[in-house]
Amino acid sequence: INTPFGVRVDAWGNVYIADSGNHRIRFIPKSGGTYFGQAMTASFIYTIAGNGTGGYLGDNVSATSTKLYNPSYVSVDVAGNVVISDTDNHRIRFVPKSAGTYFGQSMTANYIYTIGGTGSTAYNGENAVATGKNINTPYGVFAGSDDMIYLTDTNHKIRMIAGGVADVVSPSTSTLSVVSGSGDGSVDLSWPSAGDDGMTGDLT
């Protein structure tokens, strides 16, 4: 494992690792079985996203066939879907456990998709389709029990992506908005810490 940053444990005791320097998301199953389309042995380690080469190659393909670029953190929602802060691609990526509509996109199980960010960094506004808005070097990411995705954006903001499968807004939409931070680094959010991604309470 090369320069691991984030690690998560899901409700079933499986471990997820943001293997940043290897440009991969790794997975250690608690029990043997089939996960992410792979037959796995308990306590062995597997790649579930990224092909080991840093960069951006594309979406809507098998998660292990495409590139990540120094992914820093990984989170898992209550349904077992995986959310990745693809840090140097300036994107939030999503690997669904099951096929369905998430964040306004029809998705195939175990494929990878961008749900936030364009790949560019300059701040270009809020409250619009998340894949049309820029995110700058995201580190922390957290899949909330409210089905929202919260992330740290080094544009000096904490931001939220709405539109997950159980979201009260609607799974046919996906919007990016700010929950805290002015954007000028003046309110204790200059270079927000990736370690602060387990957010609770009202941040508005």
Side-chain angles (χ1 to χ4, degrees):
I1 297 173
N2 187 358
T3 321
F5 278 88
V7 63
R8 283 290 182 272
V9 180
D10 68 19
W12 303 275
N14 306 304
V15 178
Y16 302 73
I17 303 163
D19 189 0
S20 184
N22 281 324
H23 312 290
R24 300 171 185 265
I25 301 300
R26 313 289 289 279
F27 179 82
I28 303 172
K30 181 179 180 180
S31 303
T34 300
Y35 305 84
F36 302 97
Q38 304 177 52
M40 298 185 181
T41 301
S43 305
F44 278 35
I45 192 167
Y46 300 85
T47 294
I48 60 170
N51 66 11
T53 301
Y56 178 74
L57 187 61
D59 289 286
N60 194 19
V61 294
S62 172
T64 54
S65 71
T66 196
K67 297 178 181 180
L68 300 173
Y69 199 2
N70 294 325
S72 293
Y73 275 76
V74 59
S75 191
V76 186
D77 70 14
V78 293
N81 305 304
V82 177
V83 186
I84 303 162
S85 57
D86 192 0
T87 301
D88 285 337
N89 277 325
H90 313 291
R91 299 169 185 264
I92 302 300
R93 312 287 288 277
F94 184 84
V95 180
K97 181 179 180 180
S98 303
T101 299
Y102 307 85
F103 302 97
Q105 303 178 54
S106 177
M107 298 186 182
T108 300
N110 309 319
Y111 276 35
I112 194 167
Y113 300 86
T114 293
I115 60 170
T118 66
S120 297
T121 61
Y123 177 73
N124 65 344
E126 308 287 346
N127 301 317
V129 176
T131 51
K133 290 298 175 184
N134 297 340
I135 296 171
N136 186 5
T137 319
Y139 283 94
V141 68
F142 180 73
S145 59
D146 56 2
D147 210 45
M148 307 294 185
I149 306 300
Y150 299 90
L151 61 121
T152 62
D153 183 337
T154 51
N155 280 317
H156 310 297
K157 293 175 180 285
I158 304 298
R159 302 175 83 179
M160 179 183 76
I161 301 172
V165 66
D167 180 15
V168 295
V169 175
S170 169
S172 64
T173 63
S174 177
T175 57
L176 183 68
S177 56
V178 66
V179 293
S180 191
S182 65
D184 61 5
S186 63
V187 288
D188 268 347
L189 286 174
S190 182
W191 301 102
S193 169
D196 293 336
D197 62 354
M199 296 179 288
T200 59
D202 185 0
L203 295 177
T204 58

